[in-house]
């Protein structure tokens, strides 16, 4: 392990802020409207163009986007959503904000994505929506989920926080396969606004409802008032809303970042291809996330399934040793139904063997467009060493390359 890493620490993911991004933010800060200005709509239009959706509302976070997506569908007390336990807490938490219940379905351990058959099992007369999480940017089977949702007359939502730039059968994720899709612009995601998020939809009424909920439930269109408008100051609070707005300088950053998005996804896919190539001789001990001909992953993450048990090594120690070698890794995710809060609400989690297996083996490796191929060589070489897999043969080919 004499090889050193010239790049400094390699985190599992990180943002990229260019000089152009900084310029754009400064311009916005110097303009007359630093919030509720023209850049909000500009960013929404650019996201519509990128995803192919008819409508978009940008919001203060991906969590706010989930909250308002559920609220716009009138999900509340007595209702249920079905989602994956292998997701970030917010997917489930946002339903709890509204007093709704969360039923967790199992995942396919080869992809970590929620299984259509398991979701079908969990649907009850109380179910209002299926929430498909595209883990790491790999799309779920959206054709089957659409059929299932239509069969039951319920909504289909995509948690596409990882999947900006992904597609299913040539259709962009967030472009209208689902009724609503949410995105996150947290710095670890593809594109950042610091904090931020968005909902895309092809439904004008859902878009209008989300815009109203984003701004205190205030209605400004005189045509929708309960009484004739007495003057230009007048507005009506028609329901309980929130302040979930995104500022103009955040939208300026998002607009500038979006220009590099397609290029970033292309580079992520190259990096993933190179990881797969280097890891392929070790398939008996570890495997990359499943791939499908009809799906194009945006590779927010590069999750690896490592058979720690068979190798007789602990994941905690593996992560510690990689950290000492300057390599950041992460576990996506601890099954949400095993979290103390969810146990306090629903009791001991029911057995979901796919999620249990996936969680036991998963480790996300560094993945962001600025990684070089030699960084990838270094990451893979280090993992093989730490897992005790590297042979004299692999060391020689590594030095030669
Ligand atoms: C990041 C993330 C969210 C929440 O987004 P924030 O912008 O951090 O609120 C929701 N779902 C998933 C799967 C995420 O990764």
């Amino acid at each position: 392990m004499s090889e050193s890493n010239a790049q400094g620490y390699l985190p599992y993911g990180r943002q990229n802020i260019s000089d152009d991004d900084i310029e754009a933010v400064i311009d916005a800060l110097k303009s007359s409207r630093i919030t509720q200005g023209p850049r909000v709509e500009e960013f929404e239009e650019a996201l519509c163009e990128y995803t192919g959706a008819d409508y978009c509302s940008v919001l203060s976070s991906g969590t706010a986007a989930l909250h308002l997506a559920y609220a716009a569908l009138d999900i509340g007390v007595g209702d249920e959503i079905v989602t994956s336990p292998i997701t970030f807490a917010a997917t489930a938490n946002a339903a709890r904000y509204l007093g709704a219940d969360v039923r967790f379905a199992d995942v396919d351990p080869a992809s970590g994505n929620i299984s259509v058959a398991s979701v079908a099992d969990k649907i009850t007369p109380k179910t209002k929506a299926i929430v498909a999480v595209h883990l790491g940017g790999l799309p779920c089977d959206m054709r089957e989920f659409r059929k299932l949702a239509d069969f039951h007359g319920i909504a289909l939502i995509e948690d596409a926080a990882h999947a900006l730039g992904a597609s299913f059968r040539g259709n962009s994720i967030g472009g209208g396969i689902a009724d609503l899709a949410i995105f996150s612009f947290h710095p670890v995601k593809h594109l950042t606004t610091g904090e931020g998020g968005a909902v895309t939809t092809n439904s004008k009424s859902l878009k209008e409802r989300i815009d109203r909920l984003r701004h205190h439930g205030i209605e400004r269109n005189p045509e929708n008032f309960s009484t004739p408008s007495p003057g230009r100051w007048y507005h009506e609070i028609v329901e309980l809303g929130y302040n979930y707005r995104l500022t103009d300088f955040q939208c300026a950053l998002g607009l500038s970042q979006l220009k590099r998005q397609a290029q970033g996804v292309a580079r992520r896919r190259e990096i993933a291809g190179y990881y797969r190539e280097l890891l392929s001789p070790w398939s008996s001990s570890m495997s990359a996330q499943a791939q499908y001909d009809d799906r194009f992953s945006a590779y927010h993450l590069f999750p690896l399934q490592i058979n720690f048990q068979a190798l007789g090594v602990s994941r905690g120690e593996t992560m510690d040793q990689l950290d000492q070698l300057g390599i950041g890794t992460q576990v996506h995710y601890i099954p949400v139904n095993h979290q103390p809060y969810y146990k306090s609400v629903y009791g001991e989690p029911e057995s979901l063997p796919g999620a249990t297996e996936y969680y036991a083996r998963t480790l996300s490796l560094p993945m962001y467009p600025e990684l070089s191929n030699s960084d990838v060589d270094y990451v893979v070489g280090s993992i093989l060493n730490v897992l005790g897999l590297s042979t004299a043969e692999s060391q020689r080919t590594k030095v030669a390359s």
Side-chain angles (χ1 to χ4, degrees):
M1 280 192 242
S2 57
E3 193 175 355
S4 70
N5 166 24
Q7 308 297 311
Y9 197 85
L10 304 171
Y12 84 86
R14 75 163 159 223
Q15 76 273 19
N16 174 269
I17 305 288
S18 71
D19 289 345
D20 284 350
D21 293 345
I22 293 167
E23 279 295 303
V25 173
I26 291 171
D27 283 351
L29 286 170
K30 287 179 174 169
S31 72
S32 56
R33 308 284 299 267
I34 64 170
T35 193
Q36 294 176 276
R39 289 169 183 86
V40 175
E41 222 167 287
E42 248 182 86
F43 188 31
E44 290 175 342
E45 278 167 16
L47 286 166
C48 284
E49 196 170 317
Y50 188 68
T51 59
D54 290 343
Y55 305 101
C56 173
S57 301
V58 292
L59 297 153
S60 53
S61 69
T63 304
L66 283 161
H67 187 183
L68 296 195
Y70 299 163
L73 294 168
D74 288 317
I75 291 171
V77 176
D79 298 327
E80 294 176 356
I81 63 155
V82 181
T83 194
S84 174
I86 303 294
T87 185
F88 184 61
T91 319
N93 287 355
R96 300 293 303 152
Y97 297 166
L98 296 160
D101 283 305
V102 181
R103 288 178 67 95
F104 295 99
D106 207 0
V107 306
D108 174 354
S111 66
N113 272 343
I114 188 172
S115 133
V116 178
S118 180
V119 171
D121 257 8
K122 307 292 174 196
I123 290 174
T124 75
K126 292 178 174 178
T127 309
K128 278 280 194 85
I130 297 167
V131 187
V133 182
H134 306 306
L135 187 69
L138 175 70
C140 295
D141 190 340
M142 292 310 286
R143 201 166 65 151
E144 290 304 312
F145 278 125
R146 185 72 265 175
K147 275 196 230 164
L148 187 63
D150 290 347
F151 178 78
H152 290 280
I154 60 178
L156 177 59
I157 301 174
E158 298 175 276
D159 182 334
H162 300 180
L164 187 66
S167 58
F168 178 81
R169 293 178 176 255
N171 301 299
S172 290
I173 293 302
I177 313 170
D179 300 290
L180 294 154
I182 76 94
F183 295 95
S184 164
F185 308 134
H186 181 274
V188 89
K189 308 290 162 67
H190 287 87
L191 175 161
T192 192
T193 57
E195 299 282 354
V199 180
T200 60
T201 182
N202 284 349
S203 158
K204 188 164 187 265
S205 60
L206 287 174
K207 151 77 175 165
E208 287 171 350
R209 183 89 188 275
I210 288 165
D211 284 355
R212 196 168 75 192
L213 287 166
R214 163 175 79 177
H215 186 61
H216 311 283
I218 289 175
E219 181 63 59
R220 288 200 173 273
N221 183 353
E223 281 172 30
N224 299 332
F225 289 164
S226 60
T227 59
S229 175
R232 55 186 299 145
W233 76 87
Y234 190 74
H235 61 266
E236 290 185 342
I237 297 166
V238 298
E239 64 177 324
L240 185 63
Y242 308 86
N243 175 355
Y244 278 167
R245 297 185 303 266
L246 195 63
T247 66
D248 269 58
F249 51 97
Q250 289 176 295
C251 291
L253 180 54
L255 273 162
S256 181
Q257 293 244 314
L258 191 55
K259 291 181 187 153
R260 299 198 296 284
Q261 171 66 10
Q263 187 189 318
V265 171
R267 176 61 192 149
R268 285 170 185 270
R269 291 179 55 83
E270 273 176 18
I271 293 166
Y274 192 47
Y275 266 130
R276 286 177 186 279
E277 185 187 321
L278 296 182
L279 291 166
S280 63
W282 310 98
S283 59
S284 60
S285 304
M286 54 186 137
S287 50
Q289 196 177 20
Q291 291 180 286
Y292 304 89
D293 289 345
D294 59 356
R295 302 174 214 187
F296 183 96
S297 174
Y299 284 107
H300 160 54
L301 301 173
F302 191 81
L304 200 55
Q305 287 275 290
I306 302 177
N307 196 343
F308 292 104
Q309 207 176 4
L311 291 165
V313 294
S314 92
R315 177 164 53 186
E317 270 169 35
T318 301
M319 290 178 77
D320 286 347
Q321 287 182 39
L322 289 170
D323 179 69
Q324 276 160 24
L325 292 167
I327 297 166
T329 54
Q330 192 47 278
V331 173
H332 297 97
Y333 291 95
I334 301 166
V336 176
N337 56 334
H338 285 257
Q339 292 289 1
Y341 168 72
Y342 282 92
K343 288 205 279 193
S344 78
V345 177
Y346 297 119
E348 268 313 297
E350 71 175 300
S351 156
L352 297 173
T356 301
E357 179 187 333
Y358 187 83
Y359 168 58
R361 296 184 175 193
T362 193
L363 191 69
S364 298
L365 306 187
M367 171 55 87
Y368 46 91
E370 295 70 36
L371 274 183
S372 67
N373 283 19
S374 65
D375 291 334
V376 175
D377 286 327
Y378 176 68
V379 172
V380 173
S382 303
I383 285 173
L384 296 178
N385 280 330
V386 168
L387 295 176
L389 286 169
S390 69
T391 61
E393 181 61 28
S394 73
Q395 292 286 30
R396 262 203 309 281
T397 50
K398 199 157 151 32
V399 170
S401 66

